[in-house]
Each structure stands twice: as C-alpha cells, then as structure tokens.
Amino acid sequence: MDFALQICDDYFLDRVWAKIVPLAAFASLPELASSLNTSSPLIPVVASTSKWAQIVSRLPHPPLNADNLASLYAQTVAAQSIPQVSAWPRDYIPRQIASLTVLTLLGIHALYFLFAGLSYTFIFNHDMTRHPRFLKNQVKQEIQASLKAFPFMTLLTLPWFQAEVMGYSRLYDGLDTYGYAYLVLSVPFFLLFTDYCIYWVHRWLHIPAIYKIFHKPHHKWIIPTPFASHAFHPVDGYFQSVPYHLFIFLFPLHRMLYLGLFVAVNFWSIFIHDSDMITGHPLENVINGPAHHTLHHLYFTCNYGQYFTWADRVGKSYRHPESSLDPLLEVQALKKD
C-alpha cells in the first residue's frame, strides 16, 4: 500500500491536499509569518481569506518553522512543479490515514465490481438462479451486504496499512535484495502461509458461538454468486484477511510482488464463489477451487481452505467435489418436472 500511496501522491494527491489543506490558510499564523521572513528559499505564501481557509486554519498541522517549510516545498514542488503546497506533508500521519482510507475504499469497490461483474457475466451459470435455495433478489442482497461491510473492514485494516506506510513491514524493493531464488520461492511461501492461516481462521469462525455472530451472514448465500465473495460481516472479512497483512511483517516480500498478490487473492476470493461444480480436472486434488467452495456453502463443515486442499486433508475436513453433488442437478430436475 505504501507504493500505491506514493504513486497517488506523485500523480494527484499532492494537488488534492494542496487544495484541501493549503499552506496559505496558515499564512497569518505568527510562526509561519516569521518563517517566511527568513532567508529560506520559499515560494511566497499569500494568506487566504476564504471561508474554507478560515475553517482549515483551525486544523492540527505539523510545526510550521523555516526548516520544515523548506523541506515541504522541496518535497512537493520537486514532485509536481506546482506553486501550491499543502500544510500537511506526505509524512504527516493524519494525511496518510485519510489518503489510505479513501484509496482503500476506492480500490476495493473497483476490484469488487470489476472482477465480480466479469465473473458473474461470463463464468457464473445463470441457471443457478433457479435453484430452490437461491434467494429472491439475492444478487442485490449480496451487493448491499458487501457495500455495508467495506467501510468497517477498511477501518479495521487501516492500522496494517499505516504501519506498512511508516516502514514497519519487511517489504523490499531490489529484485536481488534477498536473491532471485527467494524472490521466486516467496510466492508459493506466501500462498502456503496464508492458506494455512486462513484455514484455521475459517474453521474457528465455524465454532457455533462465533459462527452465529460473525460467519453466519456469509452462509446466508447457499448458492453464492461472485458478488457474495465479499458479503461478510466486517469482523469476519477482516480476520480472514489478517494473514495477508501479517506475512509482510514476519517475512521479506518484494513490494510489487505483494501488490500483485494482494490483487490476485481478491480475484481468487471472487472466482471461487461462482457455484461452479466442474469436476475431473487434473488439479482437482490439489487446488481448492470453485467446486470445493461450492460444497463448503452447501454443507458448511468441509473445505475451509482458500487455495489448496492440503490443510483440509490434514485437518480431516476435506470433501471431494463429486459430480453427483452438483447443485445444478436440482435445477435440471426442476426443468424436467
């Protein structure tokens, strides 16, 4: 997320923050006025008398002394070559939190509607909407549940993103920092680690007392569509995402690789919710795909894994997707009747 924030700062957020919290709003403050009278190479700041500036001038801000102001101008002007500067620099925590909140919300909505929309349109078998356990207006309900969950899931996730932006994670930049072998092997390591952690988080969420409060809302969708992929109770969705965030604070991972994997796991979560029961493919015994997760929604006590079947096999919760278990058979039987 730190890379995404940096790119957004470079391309548009510096300008946005210069408009929202302009340095000009604080020009009348004694500490700023005295700094502007020094020999620091600053672009002149003319005090703004707009109503918005008066409101903004009451906001908290980092110290406005000569050294900080020079650094502030150098950072912003060098990046954008613009005379407007925000009183909230890039490393100011309130600005980072606000930026991360907006970017996370925009990002998850974009990923959700793009990938779930494509999956629903081109992969999901629409005959499944005739299944007797498919709810009335289910797609609308799934979307509404997801949209309600996103803000709260974002709020819970922010401390991880903020810690990442502040440099506490073990993300790195150079491709050869840990060697090319580690770079390649870190991908299956990430998938195996998060898969095993999510298996246990998911299984614990099925403990009756926990299930009733947090996980039951997701199992409302017996015959899910891709739009059910994020239709969680916010606490449920957050806990199942923790392993992704935890990994980079325990183990090194290339920054761009992590960003790609983070998008990929969201895509996978959508993909396995298409109620697809295609069986007999070569990777069926290894990959915990849509057919396996369809059985999880139908029977509740099997196939808790995210990507692979091994954790379910070890935990004795694996159920093989047989073609005779396909819920589409019930739809076809109704057609014959």
Side-chain angles (χ1 to χ4, degrees):
M1 200 64 184
D2 58 344
F3 175 78
L5 181 58
Q6 179 184 336
I7 294 298
C8 291
D9 277 335
D10 286 344
Y11 280 95
F12 66 91
L13 282 181
D14 281 338
R15 295 177 182 272
V16 170
W17 282 109
K19 296 290 185 182
I20 296 175
V21 191
L23 186 60
F26 301 88
S28 60
L29 295 179
E31 61 266 34
L32 180 55
S34 62
S35 295
L36 292 173
N37 291 327
T38 68
S39 58
S40 300
L42 301 176
I43 298 173
V45 176
V46 179
S48 175
T49 58
S50 69
K51 190 170 182 179
W52 175 248
Q54 293 173 14
I55 295 172
V56 168
S57 66
R58 297 184 179 94
L59 293 175
H61 55 82
L64 298 175
N65 55 53
D67 292 338
N68 286 345
L69 286 171
S71 175
L72 188 62
Y73 272 107
Q75 177 189 107
T76 307
V77 176
Q80 290 293 337
S81 299
I82 55 175
Q84 300 86 5
V85 178
S86 173
W88 285 13
R90 291 185 180 187
D91 58 357
Y92 189 48
I93 292 177
R95 166 175 164 168
Q96 291 176 336
I97 291 174
S99 295
L100 287 171
T101 301
V102 173
L103 291 176
T104 302
L105 284 172
L106 290 175
I108 190 60
H109 280 81
L111 284 173
Y112 176 69
F113 283 109
L114 175 62
F115 290 144
L118 290 172
S119 182
Y120 181 76
T121 302
F122 298 108
I123 299 177
F124 177 72
N125 188 337
H126 289 259
D127 286 342
M128 295 301 297
T129 61
R130 300 188 184 93
H131 193 281
R133 302 181 79 177
F134 194 87
L135 304 179
K136 183 180 180 180
N137 297 322
Q138 180 173 312
V139 172
K140 180 180 178 181
Q141 292 184 56
E142 291 170 341
I143 294 173
Q144 288 175 334
S146 300
L147 295 182
K148 288 179 182 178
F150 287 156
F152 297 102
M153 289 170 63
T154 297
L155 184 64
L156 292 169
T157 306
L158 271 177
W160 293 99
F161 285 155
Q162 183 61 31
E164 180 189 330
V165 168
M166 295 175 71
Y168 293 112
S169 75
R170 302 193 65 186
L171 293 173
Y172 64 90
D173 292 305
L175 293 176
D176 59 348
T177 301
Y178 290 90
Y180 289 101
Y182 181 82
L183 179 70
V184 173
L185 293 175
S186 63
V187 175
F189 182 32
F190 173 87
L191 295 176
L192 289 170
F193 175 88
T194 55
D195 182 62
Y196 192 64
C197 290
I198 291 172
Y199 170 83
W200 283 109
V201 170
H202 194 177
R203 189 158 183 171
W204 290 335
L205 284 165
H206 277 262
I207 296 172
I210 301 174
Y211 175 85
K212 185 177 181 180
I213 300 172
F214 297 118
H215 197 50
K216 187 176 180 180
H218 185 63
H219 275 281
K220 178 181 180 179
W221 329 112
I222 306 299
I223 306 296
T225 79
F227 289 108
S229 58
H230 291 72
F232 287 103
H233 185 290
V235 174
D236 177 1
Y238 167 71
F239 277 124
Q240 293 201 59
S241 74
V242 165
Y244 304 130
H245 307 296
L246 181 62
F247 183 90
I248 62 170
F249 288 87
L250 297 177
F251 309 104
L253 188 64
H254 190 274
R255 198 174 309 279
M256 295 301 296
L257 194 57
Y258 177 61
L259 185 60
L261 286 168
F262 198 80
V263 173
V265 297
N266 275 278
F267 169 77
W268 184 259
S269 295
I270 291 169
F271 176 65
I272 63 175
H273 282 88
D274 67 3
S275 298
D276 183 2
M277 278 289 290
I278 295 176
T279 58
H281 58 82
L283 297 177
E284 190 174 79
N285 292 320
V286 179
I287 302 298
N288 189 30
H292 300 77
H293 200 70
T294 296
L295 294 183
H296 176 74
H297 275 262
L298 285 171
Y299 301 106
F300 291 49
T301 57
C302 62
N303 301 346
Y304 299 101
Q306 185 76 349
Y307 318 113
F308 307 111
T309 62
W310 70 282
D312 280 294
R313 293 179 185 279
V314 172
K316 301 187 184 305
S317 55
Y318 177 71
R319 183 162 187 171
H320 192 71
E322 302 288 346
S323 58
S324 60
L325 302 175
D326 191 342
L328 186 60
L329 296 175
E330 294 182 60
V331 177
Q332 294 170 344
L334 288 173
K335 282 184 176 180
K336 292 177 181 179
D337 294 340

